[in-house]
């Protein structure tokens, strides 16, 4: 088939039901076989998904992508989808994914939800307006649950490998007539100043606080970083970022020697960026 609407394909078979969240044309092929009793015994599909968007409800703002491709098989005896390859290319992210998902609630012949475990490689975040250079992460593992109607994506754990450290997320995304509802929490044990600025978007996420750090902080080591994001329809997004730091050197008043060797805590919430220090020292110009 060529250029079939994703939602038309989603209604053909339980193994294709997850495509119902997409608004995009799809080309590809589906091969299926039946057993002696006439029941579906195996299905395989190769899908080329053209430019479109993730939009499970007309009231939710579309999340655009350029293209995607997937090859998967479905075993109805075990009710499992095995994705040998999924590639995604969008303004926000490029990634290669493989894994499997179980169809849950097939008593009525159609899944109520999918439970999946996936591995992500070649992961690059590259929205031009948010990062001066694309941000590359080594790999990711994620456990998720996708409910079909109403649409709800629950992330049990998203573990992003970044060098020797891991960035952990969990949360939930749902879409309805009013728009997107997002609840996302993240944490990371340690983070260097240079990597912090690479991961901190250039705009929309406290740009003035980011500019202050760039202009004034010379060195620091971040630990126990915590992140939270809440989005409700018609409301301004709520963002929280908190972290401990040590080995901080920073200018705090112009023409005054820097604070060095400082440690303490910092937090960002409701447009207020606060840094508190519990130790450190300043070397006076004349000594002492």
């Amino acid at each position: 088939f060529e250029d079939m609407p994703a939602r038309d394909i989603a209604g053909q078979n339980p193994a294709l039901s997850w495509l119902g969240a997409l608004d995009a044309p799809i080309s590809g092929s589906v091969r299926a076989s039946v057993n002696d009793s006439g029941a579906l015994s195996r299905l395989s599909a190769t899908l080329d998904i053209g430019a479109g968007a993730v939009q499970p409800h007309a009231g939710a703002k579309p999340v655009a992508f350029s293209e995607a491709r997937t090859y998967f098989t479905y075993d109805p005896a075990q009710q499992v989808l095995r994705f040998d390859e999924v590639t995604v290319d969008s303004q926000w992210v490029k990634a290669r994914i493989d894994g499997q998902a179980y169809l849950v609630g097939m008593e009525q012949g159609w899944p109520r939800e999918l439970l999946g475990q996936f591995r992500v490689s070649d992961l690059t975040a590259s929205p031009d307006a948010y990062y001066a250079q694309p941000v590359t992460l080594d790999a990711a593992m994620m456990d998720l649950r996708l409910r079909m109607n109403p649409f709800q994506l629950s992330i049990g754990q998203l573990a992003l490998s970044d060098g020797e450290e891991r960035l952990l997320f969990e949360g939930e995304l749902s879409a309805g007539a009013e728009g997107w509802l997002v609840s996302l929490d993240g944490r990371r044990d340690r983070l260097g100043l240079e990597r912090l600025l690479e991961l901190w978007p250039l705009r929309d996420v406290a740009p003035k606080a980011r500019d202050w750090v760039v202009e004034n902080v010379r060195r620091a080591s971040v630990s126990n970083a915590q992140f939270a994001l809440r989005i409700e329809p018609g409301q301004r997004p709520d963002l929280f970022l908190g972290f401990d730091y040590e080995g901080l050197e920073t200018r705090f008043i112009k023409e005054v020697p820097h604070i060095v060797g400082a440690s303490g805590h910092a937090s960002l919430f409701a447009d207020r960026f606060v840094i508190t220090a519990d130790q450190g020292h300043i070397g006076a110009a004349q000594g002492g």
Side-chain angles (χ1 to χ4, degrees), residues 24 48-52 64-69 87-91 93 95:
D48 288 307
I49 306 172
F65 58 86
S66 303
E67 61 180 343
R69 178 181 173 84
T87 57
V88 179
D89 188 349
S90 73
Q91 181 184 4
V93 68

Side-chain angles (χ1 to χ4, degrees), residues 224-245:
N224 193 30
Q226 297 178 324
F227 167 89
L229 175 65
R230 301 291 184 269
I231 298 177
E232 296 185 9
Q235 303 293 323
R236 185 179 180 184
D238 282 334
L239 171 69
F240 169 81
L241 175 66
F243 55 86
D244 298 326
Y245 66 87

Side-chain angles (χ1 to χ4, degrees), residues 1-286:
F1 54 88
E2 292 184 6
D3 294 333
M4 283 187 65
R7 293 190 175 103
D8 288 354
I9 297 177
Q12 301 301 312
N13 188 281
L16 303 168
S17 59
W18 54 276
L19 295 168
L22 305 182
D23 181 12
I26 301 180
S27 300
S29 63
V30 176
R31 299 173 183 269
S33 59
V34 295
N35 58 26
D36 293 339
S37 63
L40 180 69
S41 61
R42 183 178 175 86
L43 178 147
S44 62
T46 300
L47 306 178
D48 288 307
I49 306 172
V54 179
Q55 190 179 24
H57 196 285
K61 183 178 179 180
V63 179
F65 58 86
S66 303
E67 61 180 343
R69 178 181 173 84
T70 180
Y71 174 75
F72 67 90
T73 59
Y74 173 56
D75 181 354
Q78 299 183 18
Q79 297 177 357
V80 61
L81 289 163
R82 293 187 174 88
F83 293 87
D84 295 305
E85 180 183 4
V86 181
T87 57
V88 179
D89 188 349
S90 73
Q91 181 184 4
W92 283 84
V93 68
K94 297 180 181 180
R96 186 183 302 272
I97 305 167
D98 64 85
Q100 62 183 20
Y102 290 90
L103 275 59
V104 179
M106 288 290 290
E107 296 82 4
Q108 303 299 321
W110 208 257
R112 183 177 63 253
E113 60 186 47
L114 272 69
L115 295 178
Q117 294 181 317
F118 296 93
R119 179 173 61 250
V120 186
S121 58
D122 301 331
L123 179 59
T124 302
S126 57
D128 296 337
Y130 288 86
Y131 293 107
Q133 299 292 331
V135 174
T136 300
L137 297 171
D138 297 331
M141 297 291 295
M142 59 182 174
D143 301 327
L144 57 83
R145 179 181 66 186
L146 174 62
R147 290 180 173 171
M148 309 297 185
N149 190 19
F151 178 89
Q152 184 181 64
L153 177 63
S154 300
I155 303 171
Q157 178 174 276
L158 171 59
L160 300 168
S161 298
D162 186 19
E164 298 181 355
E165 296 293 333
R166 291 202 307 167
L167 180 59
L168 302 177
F169 284 100
E170 60 185 18
E172 197 167 275
L173 298 85
S174 58
E178 301 298 321
W180 289 99
L181 186 68
V182 178
S183 175
L184 188 64
D185 298 306
R187 63 187 185 277
R188 177 167 175 157
D189 290 337
R190 302 198 66 82
L191 185 64
L193 175 62
E194 182 177 351
R195 191 55 170 167
L196 171 65
L197 294 174
E198 289 176 351
L199 297 176
W200 192 335
L202 297 174
R203 66 177 183 87
D204 287 354
V205 183
K208 292 184 179 179
R210 187 186 189 282
D211 291 344
W212 188 92
V213 172
V214 170
E215 294 171 4
N216 295 284
V217 176
R218 299 295 179 264
R219 60 179 57 87
S221 178
V222 172
S223 62
N224 193 30
Q226 297 178 324
F227 167 89
L229 175 65
R230 301 291 184 269
I231 298 177
E232 296 185 9
Q235 303 293 323
R236 185 179 180 184
D238 282 334
L239 171 69
F240 169 81
L241 175 66
F243 55 86
D244 298 326
Y245 66 87
E246 60 185 12
L248 172 70
E249 178 184 343
T250 184
R251 179 177 65 176
F252 69 107
I253 300 176
K254 291 183 179 181
E255 310 304 330
V256 172
H258 295 176
I259 297 174
V260 295
S263 63
H265 184 76
S267 63
L268 169 66
F269 181 68
D271 294 331
R272 190 163 186 254
F273 184 49
V274 178
I275 298 179
T276 59
D278 53 38
Q279 70 176 26
H281 64 274
I282 301 170
Q286 71 274 18

